[in-house]
Amino acid sequence: MRYTITMITEDDIKRVRDANDIVELIGERVVLKQRGREFWGNCPFHNEKTPSFKIDPASQFYHCFGCGEGGDVFKYMMKTEGLDFLDAVRSLAQRKSIELKEEQGKSGGGKKARLIAVCDEANAFYHQQLMRVKSSEADAARAYLGKRGLGGSVARDWSLGFAPGRGMLVKHLSSKGFTRDEMIAANVAYSGQGSGRYGAGGAGGLGSAEGGMGRSGAGALKDRFFNRVIFPISDLQGRTIAFGGRVIGSGEPKYLNSSDTRLFHKRENLFAIDKAKAPITTSGAAIVVEGYTDVIAMHRAGFNNTVATLGTALTPEHLKLLSRFTKKVILLFDGDEAGKRAADRAVDLITVMATAEAGQKLDLFVAMLPGSMDPADYLAAEGHEAMQKTLDTSAALLQFALDRRLAHWNLDLPEQRNRALNDVITLLVPVKGSLLAMDYINYLSDVLHIDYALVASALEHAKAPAVPRAADGAARENRLQDEGASEQPRTIDTSGAGDKLLAMESELLFIFIEHPGVRERLVEAFGRITWSTPGLESIARALAESDRQDGPDDLMAKLLAKMPDVSSLLSNA
């Protein structure tokens, strides 16, 4: 049976309104200054340099004289969090630990609430397994977290858990009244019918669902996560909507995230955004890293404005979310080859920001950690001050991208300088005609010792790269389908260094991995390509023989099982 919340009493609404001071609430994201009895700051709903946003603590209302927005605490939550009225009341009630009395009735609209309830109960189950259950598997999970500095109070604060698998979660949720369809829809379980998906249960194989949950025409229901440390993923309101699991011991994939559901979309959600949103606003910047443990380590070190992506590169949707809280984003990458490759691919975001709506534009910066360390390792070895220095010396994304490409060339040689110009000038195409482009034309003129007019002319005639590099994966996939990857391949200018061609071939392989919708067309194109290295040719052959229906995580895991050096082959390309 499905349920939906139909009513919150007027008394409860009043209790919630009275408990939440509007100055305190808005002050978490807006720097406020008191003038007489009122508080003023820059409006959170539109860009402005002179404060026109006023809060009256007596009436508990706000008003912006610039854009006209106004309202109370509920209206503010609805606008900033994208909530309807009832969810705004619930969120503010949770903030002040107020228990609401809600009447329920049958309705299809209650499915989302039921899925949240499934995730909440699963989170509680996983956390109890980690904190209280005595078993060799749980001991191994606790040992792993302890070694990473994530045990004890850290595990409690972040509600970390352990997934034993073997159908134990399915049995627990079933005992709580959740249905088979609800568990599958929340992606905490899957049907065991057929061969299943590689990695669905995690390392060590796919645990069976003890106790059945089978029915006529359907396979047994199995836990999605097996023998993994669990990191709960929350939405802006702090509600659990998905999970990430790190395998204990050996096994692939090392990290497994929930698939997209009605509650959760990898391209739109960020790990720890619920904890980081207020610090992001007050600090004026967001820090984006690549892993769960890195986020927790950063928060423990005082960098509470840190979030992480969830198995994807940073997307336009992520940037749109962050633009609600700040105008500055620092991308902090690991110092290993994978981190450098991820940093290079962040160049795609230049186009995203150049075409973003005014209210969603961000200043993007890049910081690289030294050596092969990730943020958690770097903090453990060097401490807070060293990390702060690294962040303070971050470079603007476009500057970083230009310097990375220029580093591939010997600028002491005239021929190399000319080729370097042809290589880097495409990076300025998205900002062509802007003051920013003029600044970087000057920069390239100085670095390359080439006349300003020649650099400006090169930009005027430059076109976007032959291989699309848009950060918006969906747009990239649609474009490939529209252009027809099965048509004759484009002629690629190989007059420059071989690095450019290798990068293009590597990018094609990544497109295949990340976007199932274009794989059939790319397989045909692969057959007509003379690959630059035997390694890339072997990867292309393995991908052509792969299951077209595999998700990116599963496909990469299978590829790693066949070719353990695949990551280095791709990153060196």
Side-chain angles (χ1 to χ4, degrees):
M1 184 176 292
R2 297 180 295 172
Y3 293 95
T4 186
I5 306 305
T6 58
M7 186 179 73
I8 298 176
T9 67
E10 287 297 327
D11 287 343
D12 278 350
I13 292 173
K14 184 178 184 302
R15 287 171 58 214
V16 173
R17 180 187 286 113
D18 292 344
N20 285 273
D21 178 68
I22 196 166
V23 176
E24 176 190 350
L25 178 66
I26 297 179
E28 292 180 354
R29 301 186 186 180
V30 179
V31 178
L32 301 173
K33 293 185 178 180
Q34 189 168 5
R35 299 180 189 171
R37 72 167 192 171
E38 298 168 339
F39 290 81
W40 291 76
N42 291 335
C43 180
F45 305 116
H46 79 284
N47 292 328
E48 63 177 7
K49 295 183 179 179
T50 303
S52 63
F53 183 80
K54 180 192 75 171
I55 306 174
D56 183 349
S59 66
Q60 288 289 297
F61 276 83
Y62 65 87
H63 179 76
C64 178
F65 293 94
C67 67
E69 284 289 345
D72 60 3
V73 288
F74 299 127
K75 181 69 176 295
Y76 177 77
M77 291 297 289
M78 293 167 68
K79 288 288 293 183
T80 58
E81 306 287 358
L83 305 174
D84 60 24
F85 177 75
L86 292 180
D87 277 342
V89 175
R90 294 186 191 104
S91 180
L92 289 170
Q94 184 180 34
R95 173 187 168 89
K96 294 297 182 180
S97 300
I98 296 174
E99 185 175 351
L100 300 175
K101 297 178 181 178
E102 306 184 28
E103 296 182 0
Q104 297 180 331
K106 296 180 184 179
S107 171
K111 184 174 183 179
K112 183 176 179 180
R114 287 290 290 176
L115 296 186
I116 290 174
V118 171
C119 290
D120 280 341
E121 189 60 41
N123 185 30
F125 171 83
Y126 290 141
H127 187 60
Q128 183 182 46
Q129 291 291 312
L130 178 70
M131 304 302 286
R132 298 184 181 179
V133 172
K134 300 296 183 182
S135 69
S136 58
E137 294 89 351
D139 288 343
R142 287 187 283 268
Y144 166 79
L145 290 173
K147 184 178 180 181
R148 298 285 292 179
L150 303 177
S153 62
V154 179
R156 285 190 293 272
D157 292 343
W158 288 83
S159 193
L160 304 184
F162 171 66
R166 302 188 298 275
M168 293 177 66
L169 176 66
V170 168
K171 290 175 65 177
H172 175 77
L173 293 176
S174 179
S175 72
K176 296 293 183 179
F178 294 106
T179 68
R180 175 191 183 91
D181 289 343
E182 287 170 342
M183 294 182 223
I184 293 174
N187 201 229
V188 298
Y190 71 101
S191 172
Q193 188 174 22
S195 60
R197 287 165 56 93
Y198 178 90
L206 305 180
S208 62
E210 298 174 10
M213 286 304 292
R215 65 183 183 188
S216 178
L221 202 60
K222 301 181 180 181
D223 293 356
R224 174 162 173 77
F225 296 98
F226 175 85
N227 195 33
R228 290 179 181 270
V229 169
I230 296 295
F231 298 84
I233 300 166
S234 302
D235 62 10
L236 276 170
Q237 291 75 53
R239 302 175 300 188
T240 304
I241 57 173
F243 301 94
R246 202 278 187 193
V247 69
I248 302 300
S250 61
E252 294 292 346
K254 181 186 292 186
Y255 284 96
L256 178 69
N257 290 317
S258 296
S259 300
D260 283 1
T261 68
R262 180 172 178 174
L263 301 177
F264 171 66
H265 300 280
K266 291 184 181 74
R267 295 180 58 81
E268 298 175 3
N269 291 101
L270 292 165
F271 180 65
I273 187 63
D274 57 316
K275 297 177 182 292
K277 60 185 179 182
I280 287 172
T281 299
T282 55
S283 68
I287 303 169
V288 181
V289 296
E290 299 181 83
Y292 306 111
T293 57
D294 293 327
V295 169
I296 297 174
M298 290 288 283
H299 278 242
R300 291 189 67 201
F303 301 99
N304 298 328
N305 53 332
T306 303
V307 295
T309 53
L310 298 160
T312 72
L314 200 65
T315 67
E317 292 86 352
H318 292 145
L319 295 176
K320 182 178 180 181
L321 173 61
L322 291 172
S323 71
R324 294 162 61 175
F325 309 107
T326 186
K327 296 304 174 188
K328 179 180 179 180
V329 174
I330 301 173
L331 310 178
L332 180 60
F333 291 106
D334 298 355
D336 59 13
E337 286 303 316
K340 292 175 183 177
R341 178 169 54 79
D344 287 337
R345 299 181 72 197
V347 170
D348 298 335
L349 299 175
I350 296 171
T351 300
V352 175
M353 282 297 95
T355 57
E357 298 178 10
Q360 297 172 11
K361 289 186 181 295
L362 296 168
D363 294 323
L364 302 179
F365 293 81
V366 176
M368 292 288 298
L369 293 172
S372 60
M373 288 189 284
D374 60 28
D377 294 334
Y378 188 66
L379 283 167
E382 303 295 337
H384 180 279
E385 290 187 10
M387 178 63 78
Q388 186 63 63
K389 184 176 180 180
T390 298
L391 296 171
D392 290 342
T393 56
S394 60
L397 175 59
L398 189 48
Q399 178 77 62
F400 172 84
L402 289 170
D403 289 343
R404 284 278 294 170
R405 287 203 183 180
L406 289 172
H408 292 297
W409 302 92
N410 183 355
L411 302 184
D412 292 331
L413 301 177
E415 296 85 355
Q416 293 275 298
R417 290 200 298 270
N418 184 58
R419 291 176 179 177
L421 175 61
N422 291 333
D423 183 22
V424 302
I425 201 67
T426 56
L427 294 174
L428 299 184
V429 170
V431 296
K432 186 187 294 188
S434 68
L435 291 175
L436 184 63
M438 294 176 63
D439 287 340
Y440 282 113
I441 290 172
N442 266 318
Y443 174 72
L444 291 177
S445 176
D446 291 341
V447 171
L448 299 173
H449 305 293
I450 297 176
D451 186 73
Y452 177 94
L454 291 177
V455 179
S457 177
L459 177 58
E460 182 64 28
H461 294 91
K463 297 180 180 179
V467 178
R469 296 187 58 88
D472 185 340
R476 176 193 292 171
E477 183 173 330
N478 291 337
R479 182 163 56 255
L480 284 171
Q481 291 173 331
D482 291 341
E483 293 175 354
S486 63
E487 299 301 323
Q488 291 298 318
R490 297 169 178 165
T491 300
I492 299 176
D493 180 11
T494 59
S495 60
D499 289 347
K500 181 190 289 188
L501 185 57
L502 287 169
M504 288 179 178
E505 293 176 359
S506 179
E507 180 68 5
L508 277 176
L509 297 174
F510 276 110
I511 291 172
F512 184 101
I513 293 169
E514 295 171 352
H515 305 296
V518 300
R519 287 175 183 168
E520 291 295 340
R521 294 171 183 257
L522 283 177
V523 165
E524 297 177 19
F526 284 178
R528 294 191 295 271
I529 293 175
T530 300
W531 297 92
S532 301
T533 69
L536 292 181
E537 184 176 6
S538 297
I539 295 172
R541 189 181 304 113
L543 291 176
E545 296 170 355
S546 66
D547 186 345
R548 306 287 193 274
Q549 303 306 312
D550 276 341
D553 290 344
D554 296 339
L555 180 56
M556 193 64 185
K558 290 182 179 180
L559 199 58
L560 282 166
K562 291 183 179 180
M563 306 172 62
D565 59 344
V566 65
S567 296
S568 60
L569 289 173
L570 288 172
S571 61
N572 288 333

